Amino acid sequence: MKKKLVIGLIAATLFSSTPINVYAVGSASVNFNSNNTVDVGENIKVYMSIENIEDADKGIIGVGGKLIFDNNKLEFIEAKTVNTPYDFWFNPKSNKLAGLDFTFENAINKNTTIYEFTFKALEEGNTTITLDEAELSDTLTKVLNTNVYGKEITITKKAIIEQEEVKPIEEKVNKTEDKKIEKEVKKETTTKKEITNKEKLEKVNNVVHNLLKKLTDLF
């Protein structure tokens, strides 16, 4: 009985004298940035970055998540890594991405843009791109508290109605001007003809008048 008590006291002493390190869970955010608007049929580039890293042991060495977007409004074109300090992968079939620093030496410890996604706008309206199931882990393999800020994009229809209407209006104006000019030309031509005929008639009258005068003088 005494032997068990002694062993228990020794164990209690050892544990009480051994410091226990408690690491606070860090935090970071995943941000999406792009233009606010895009026309139907055009491409738009969206950038994903890791920012606001706090209390992460030596930085972030693991990234994971699933890209979320409305495929009725956006068509995925491609994904490119930007400033990734270690290997990243993206699966377009599942829209899942992952990054891992196997060396534990190239951790992300400052604001870093890691992906450039290209989409084609398909349908007019508002849509949002974000990351689901986001996981960021530090060199202690602790998962950080992660805030995700998606990007809302407004898809607009091209203003082609005005361009289509301008042409017929221009054609109508041109046709009207052409008819007006043609009418004025005809009027001018008619006037000239009338003047010419009048001159001829006056000449004939003068000839007849002179002839009559001569005849009168004879008798």
Side-chain angles (χ1 to χ4, degrees), residues 21-32:
N21 295 322
V22 178
Y23 295 93
V25 176
S27 64
S29 63
V30 174
N31 293 349
F32 287 87

Side-chain angles (χ1 to χ4, degrees), residues 7-217:
I7 292 172
L9 289 171
I10 292 172
T13 303
L14 287 171
F15 280 115
S16 63
S17 62
T18 303
I20 299 174
N21 295 322
V22 178
Y23 295 93
V25 176
S27 64
S29 63
V30 174
N31 293 349
F32 287 87
N33 293 289
S34 71
N35 291 335
N36 293 324
T37 61
V38 61
D39 288 333
V40 173
E42 293 187 348
N43 288 354
I44 184 169
K45 295 184 183 298
V46 181
Y47 297 90
M48 174 182 160
S49 59
I50 296 175
E51 301 178 5
N52 307 316
I53 302 169
E54 293 183 3
D55 300 324
D57 186 76
K58 297 179 183 177
I60 296 170
I61 56 108
V63 179
K66 182 178 181 179
L67 191 68
I68 300 296
F69 61 93
D70 185 352
N71 54 20
N72 289 320
K73 287 187 167 58
L74 294 172
E75 177 186 352
F76 173 79
I77 303 297
E78 65 176 351
K80 291 182 179 179
T81 53
V82 183
N83 297 316
T84 50
Y86 46 84
D87 291 332
F88 272 80
W89 304 269
F90 180 78
N91 185 343
K93 292 182 180 178
S94 63
N95 293 330
K96 289 186 176 181
L97 61 87
L100 183 62
D101 178 15
F102 294 99
T103 67
F104 279 54
E105 295 178 355
N106 302 306
I108 297 172
N109 48 37
K110 62 181 180 180
N111 293 355
T112 304
T113 300
I114 59 175
Y115 264 109
E116 176 193 270
F117 299 102
T118 303
F119 297 91
K120 181 179 180 180
L122 300 176
E123 184 181 284
E124 188 177 5
N126 294 326
T127 190
T128 301
I129 299 171
T130 187
L131 189 71
D132 194 20
E133 304 171 8
E135 283 192 5
L136 306 178
S137 54
D138 61 15
T139 56
L140 293 175
T141 67
K142 286 184 176 293
V143 177
L144 308 182
N145 291 323
T146 306
N147 297 313
V148 179
Y149 300 97
K151 177 63 183 181
E152 184 173 330
I153 299 170
T154 300
I155 303 173
T156 57
K157 199 171 183 179
K158 280 187 177 181
I160 58 175
I161 297 175
E162 293 181 1
Q163 295 176 1
E164 290 176 350
E165 288 181 348
V166 167
K167 190 174 180 181
I169 290 172
E170 289 179 350
E171 288 179 351
K172 188 175 180 181
V173 169
N174 290 336
K175 287 180 180 178
T176 303
E177 289 296 325
D178 289 343
K179 286 183 179 179
K180 187 176 178 182
I181 293 170
E182 186 180 350
K183 189 175 180 181
E184 288 178 354
V185 169
K186 284 183 179 179
K187 184 177 179 182
E188 187 177 350
T189 303
T190 303
T191 303
K192 284 182 178 179
K193 284 182 179 178
E194 288 176 354
I195 291 172
T196 304
N197 290 335
K198 187 177 180 181
E199 288 176 349
K200 286 181 180 179
L201 185 61
E202 285 179 354
K203 286 181 179 180
V204 170
N205 285 335
N206 289 333
V207 170
V208 171
H209 180 72
N210 291 332
L211 181 61
L212 288 173
K213 188 177 179 182
K214 287 180 180 179
L215 288 172
T216 303
D217 293 339

